[in-house]
Amino acid sequence: MSSFEQFHIDFYQSNYTIEDQEEGCNSYGSDKNLCESRRSQAEKQPAGGAFVPSDMLPSPPSYSGQILQPAHSPDTPQLGYVDGFDEEPPLLEELGINFEHIWQKTLTVLNPMKPADGSIMNETDLTGPMVFCLALGATLLMAGKVHFGYVYGMSAIGCLAMHALLNLMSASGVSHGCVASVLGYCLLPMVILSSSAVVFSLQGIPGTVLALFIIGWCSLSASKIFTSALAMEGQQLLIAYPCALLYGLFALLTVF
């Protein structure tokens, strides 16, 4: 049995190579064409089990860059990056909050005789109006009147009514945000009236006179801003009348 296994191993093991075949062809004078055909077939065999010459192997791509740093290629376009955060706008400016414009609008409302800047007043800035509405509701609450719903409800209805009216009167038209911004900023004198109601009662002749003065102040400021922003010269009194009706409702909430 051992002799059979030794024969089996010797039968499958051989040291015969292609070089020996070539030497045999050269030594024994065999047909040269047959040798050349075998040689070409051996060179064309796949790389799985045969020898492939080095000149036929594909050369790996050359990489001249460093680790974690890609190599620069002149064919690929380079992307431009911003140098830090210097060229980025401030966060408040991206959110549409400009304290300089808010201060200018507030001064324009506080001084009805001051000419309004139409380019600034035409912005849809709602930061100041929201603050003034909250201040009005807070001062009314300090006087013992919980009227936050009435303040926001009348503000929304008044903005819609004034928007429809101004679109009918002006040729260029106006947006909802611009109307809400102007009416909200002109609510600042009404905050002064509601703050006075915390100190003393307005149900009397002095309170009525003060309320009428505040209504005229608010309506005059709003009409001035609308005429300058929408280029409606000569129509300020027509705009001041509906504004006075709207601010009269807020005065009624404050007095009574």
Side-chain angles (χ1 to χ4, degrees):
M1 190 68 180
S2 59
S3 61
F4 179 76
E5 292 178 354
Q6 185 67 28
F7 175 77
H8 181 73
I9 294 173
D10 295 338
F11 180 78
Y12 284 100
Q13 290 183 354
S14 175
N15 294 326
Y16 181 78
T17 58
I18 299 176
E19 287 78 5
D20 297 336
Q21 182 181 2
E22 293 178 355
E23 292 177 0
C25 291
N26 295 330
S27 60
Y28 290 102
S30 301
D31 192 0
K32 295 182 178 180
N33 294 329
L34 180 61
C35 294
E36 291 179 357
S37 62
R38 290 180 179 177
R39 188 183 306 168
S40 62
Q41 290 179 0
E43 292 178 356
K44 292 181 181 180
Q45 289 181 354
F51 173 75
V52 180
S54 61
D55 54 352
M56 297 181 63
L57 293 175
S59 59
S62 60
Y63 182 77
S64 60
Q66 299 179 0
I67 299 177
L68 301 179
Q69 294 182 0
H72 172 70
S73 178
D75 298 334
T76 59
Q78 297 294 325
L79 299 177
Y81 296 95
V82 180
D83 298 334
F85 298 95
D86 297 335
E87 299 182 5
E88 293 185 359
L91 179 60
L92 294 178
E93 185 177 350
E94 292 182 355
L95 296 176
I97 301 174
N98 194 334
F99 289 105
E100 183 179 358
H101 289 181
I102 293 174
W103 179 246
Q104 291 180 4
K105 293 179 181 180
T106 305
L107 292 180
T108 304
V109 173
L110 293 177
N111 187 7
M113 302 304 171
K114 179 183 178 181
D117 189 0
S119 60
I120 297 178
M121 294 302 172
N122 202 15
E123 296 178 355
T124 58
D125 176 27
L126 298 179
T127 305
M130 292 297 294
V131 172
F132 295 153
C133 286
L134 289 175
L136 180 60
T139 51
L140 289 175
L141 183 62
M142 294 174 63
K145 303 173 183 178
V146 185
H147 293 328
F148 285 98
Y150 289 106
V151 170
Y152 287 109
M154 289 191 301
S155 299
I157 296 174
C159 291
L160 293 176
M162 286 298 300
H163 177 263
L165 182 63
L166 291 175
N167 281 329
L168 292 175
M169 296 177 63
S170 63
S172 58
V174 64
S175 62
H176 291 87
C178 179
V179 175
S181 178
V182 173
L183 293 179
Y185 273 103
C186 294
L187 199 63
L188 178 59
M190 198 61 60
V191 178
I192 300 175
L193 180 64
S194 61
S195 301
S196 302
V198 178
V199 181
F200 56 89
S201 178
L202 299 176
Q203 296 181 4
I205 296 177
T208 304
V209 173
L210 180 60
L212 292 176
F213 174 74
I214 294 297
I215 292 171
W217 187 357
C218 295
S219 59
L220 182 61
S221 299
S223 60
K224 177 191 64 175
I225 295 174
F226 279 130
T227 53
S228 62
L230 302 177
M232 299 172 62
E233 290 80 5
Q235 302 181 12
Q236 184 173 358
L237 293 178
L238 296 176
I239 300 175
Y241 176 69
C243 292
L245 295 178
L246 175 62
Y247 292 114
L249 296 176
F250 291 105
L252 292 175
L253 286 178
T254 306
V255 173
F256 298 102

